[in-house]
Amino acid sequence: MTVPTGPASGTEPVSSAERILVIRLGALGDLVQCFDAFQAIRRRHPSAHITLLTGSAFVGFGRTMPWFDAVWADPRGRNPLAYLRLRSRLRAGGFDTIYDLQNKPRTARYFWLMGPGRRPLWSGAAKGAAFPLPQVTGLHNHDRYRVQLEAAGVPDTGPADLDWLAGEVGELAPKGPFVLLVPGCSPICRTSAGRRTAMPRWGGAWRIGA
């Protein structure tokens, strides 16, 4: 599928896309903050086959999520052979739409790896994307994802349903007592002495396992 020139030219999101790729490589806290976005994408494309591309350490966790039909590991290799292998896999995936929630130079390269005439509709920071990343400077990650997806025609569906966390995902927890910390990433205001003057809006989530 050839990438259109952008929303200004009349391009509309593909609500009936059959194959969709969502890119979010990690870390754990970033994946957790994407739950609302993952749910919104699934509800926008209820009958599509949706694949998550994530870091190798999070493949097992991703497979327990209810929003994806498949989970691929991105080993994040830096040599040319690694990029060639990834290009082959992306092209073979036959994706209609890709939502790049990572929005880093590395994942922007994936857009170009697809090659002319093969690039799907792309939402993200890659130059030439059908749905370019809006101005998100200063926004919290959660708000960045919401703004990005709304620009691609994916409406906000509110807080993600987390009932699935009571299911098989429990098998991923370590044995014995443990504490899981999911730190926030909002900017923390500091005084000239470097002391914290405000706590993150997100984060501080914790659980003690028996």
Side-chain angles (χ1 to χ4, degrees):
M1 178 180 295
T2 303
V3 172
T5 57
S9 66
T11 300
E12 296 295 335
V14 181
S15 60
S16 59
E18 293 297 323
R19 301 189 66 84
I20 292 171
L21 180 68
V22 178
I23 304 175
R24 195 55 175 107
L25 304 183
L28 177 60
D30 296 318
L31 282 173
V32 171
Q33 291 179 19
C34 272
F35 284 175
D36 294 357
F38 293 160
Q39 174 179 274
I41 292 170
R42 169 50 73 185
R43 292 187 179 178
R44 176 61 170 163
H45 306 280
S47 61
H49 185 282
I50 303 181
T51 299
L52 172 67
L53 179 66
T54 190
S56 301
F58 307 112
V59 169
F61 185 39
R63 286 173 177 163
T64 68
M65 298 178 189
W67 307 295
F68 305 108
D69 301 289
V71 180
W72 291 359
D74 183 348
R76 303 172 87 164
R78 296 182 179 276
N79 60 71
L81 182 58
Y83 277 109
L84 287 174
R85 288 173 177 169
L86 181 60
R87 182 182 68 175
S88 297
R89 194 170 195 188
L90 290 174
R91 289 183 174 183
F95 298 111
D96 303 285
T97 305
I98 295 181
Y99 296 99
D100 179 9
L101 301 182
Q102 188 78 13
N103 285 315
K104 296 295 184 181
R106 177 182 181 85
T107 53
R109 293 189 194 103
Y110 297 174
F111 175 77
W112 296 103
L113 285 177
M114 303 293 286
R118 296 174 177 263
R119 296 178 187 130
L121 294 172
W122 189 283
S123 167
K127 185 177 180 181
F131 308 109
L133 184 68
Q135 178 57 251
V136 295
T137 302
L139 294 180
H140 183 273
N141 274 355
H142 178 266
D143 296 322
R144 291 185 182 203
Y145 305 139
R146 176 181 53 79
V147 170
Q148 175 181 348
L149 293 180
E150 287 180 347
V154 179
D156 182 19
T157 58
D161 182 351
L162 300 180
D163 288 346
W164 59 277
L165 285 170
E168 296 180 359
V169 70
E171 298 179 0
L172 298 175
K175 304 299 181 183
F178 70 93
V179 176
L180 173 63
L181 300 177
V182 185
C185 65
S186 295
I188 298 177
C189 299
R190 298 177 181 273
T191 63
S192 58
R195 297 179 180 178
R196 296 185 179 186
T197 59
M199 293 299 292
R201 289 184 297 153
W202 273 60
W206 60 279
R207 170 191 170 192
I208 298 179

